[in-house]
Amino acid sequence: DLIQALALQSLLPRLVGGLSGGERRRVGLACALCAHPDLIVLDEPTAGLDLSSRRTFFDYLKSLAKESECTVLFSTHHLDEVEQLSERVVVLHKGRILQEGRVDEIQKQFGYRRIRFRSQGDVCIPEIWNFVRDGLNCEVMARDAESFVRWMVEARIDFMDLEVQMVSLEEIFIKMVEP
């Protein structure tokens, strides 16, 4: 099952010394999982993995965490991976816990949403909203996205392709550690 789940079929006839770094990581994970552990601790698990191997690796970890009693604890600087995989997050900086909880809880506590839209016309946004424009592309960071969108409609701002998103964990982390 592990050979199929981690796409190791093509590696079976080869010696470990002849494998790439990403291939070695996948083989190492398979070896660790053979014992059906209750806890897996991973440090920077996707370092050296190509995009395809990274996807295979994460798909397997997601299914493992859902289908078994196994707890997966991992440390990474790739916060996009944390958002995809984690149930619970602890954000550490210089040995201190800055934030902990579910990803959606941390995003909600941070409070800001990203509002993106395109506009061909002039856009005058009051300074209370953090507004950035690059050609037709406009972006606003706002605590109350609904109020901002309502204001845009009432102010007759010419816009299209409106998107409202939670900010990423990476952006939250950067804001937390900025001096």
Side-chain angles (χ1 to χ4, degrees):
D1 290 342
L2 287 170
I3 290 169
Q4 285 183 330
L6 296 171
L8 300 174
Q9 298 88 334
S10 65
L11 306 182
L12 291 176
R14 297 170 55 194
L15 296 174
V16 173
L19 300 178
S20 71
E23 291 168 337
R24 286 182 191 187
R25 279 200 178 264
R26 289 179 14 232
V27 169
L29 179 63
C31 290
L33 294 174
C34 282
H36 303 288
D38 293 330
L39 172 66
I40 300 171
V41 180
L42 303 169
D43 182 23
E44 297 289 347
T46 59
L49 294 182
D50 61 40
L51 290 174
S52 176
S53 297
R54 183 178 174 211
R55 178 169 291 157
T56 300
F57 176 83
F58 269 115
D59 288 345
Y60 183 74
L61 280 182
K62 284 180 192 176
S63 67
L64 178 70
K66 284 182 183 174
E67 296 170 8
S68 73
E69 297 287 318
C70 183
T71 299
V72 179
L73 173 67
F74 72 100
S75 166
T76 184
H77 290 89
H78 300 283
L79 298 182
D80 58 322
E81 295 174 355
V82 173
E83 285 182 89
Q84 293 175 39
L85 189 61
S86 300
E87 268 185 38
R88 185 154 183 80
V89 176
V90 178
V91 179
L92 298 171
H93 180 63
K94 295 183 179 180
R96 263 183 351 119
I97 295 175
L98 297 181
Q99 192 73 263
E100 64 180 295
R102 292 190 334 257
V103 172
D104 63 330
E105 290 172 343
I106 292 171
Q107 289 171 321
K108 196 173 198 175
Q109 286 175 5
F110 184 67
Y112 283 91
R113 292 199 181 187
R114 174 184 299 101
I115 302 144
R116 289 184 175 144
F117 59 95
R118 294 175 2 105
S119 180
Q120 294 178 336
D122 289 333
V123 179
C124 293
I125 307 291
E127 287 186 25
I128 61 168
W129 286 301
N130 183 5
F131 176 69
V132 177
R133 183 172 189 156
D134 181 16
L136 298 177
N137 300 314
C138 302
E139 183 173 297
V140 172
M141 295 291 277
R143 285 197 177 273
D144 186 352
E146 292 79 10
S147 291
F148 177 77
V149 173
R150 198 174 308 111
W151 175 85
M152 279 195 351
V153 170
E154 290 169 359
R156 299 187 187 275
I157 301 292
D158 173 39
F159 68 91
M160 57 193 149
D161 302 329
L162 179 71
E163 294 179 15
V164 178
Q165 304 170 324
M166 297 297 280
V167 292
S168 69
L169 278 182
E170 183 173 321
E171 292 169 301
I172 293 170
F173 179 79
I174 290 167
K175 289 288 186 192
M176 284 183 199
V177 300
E178 278 182 350

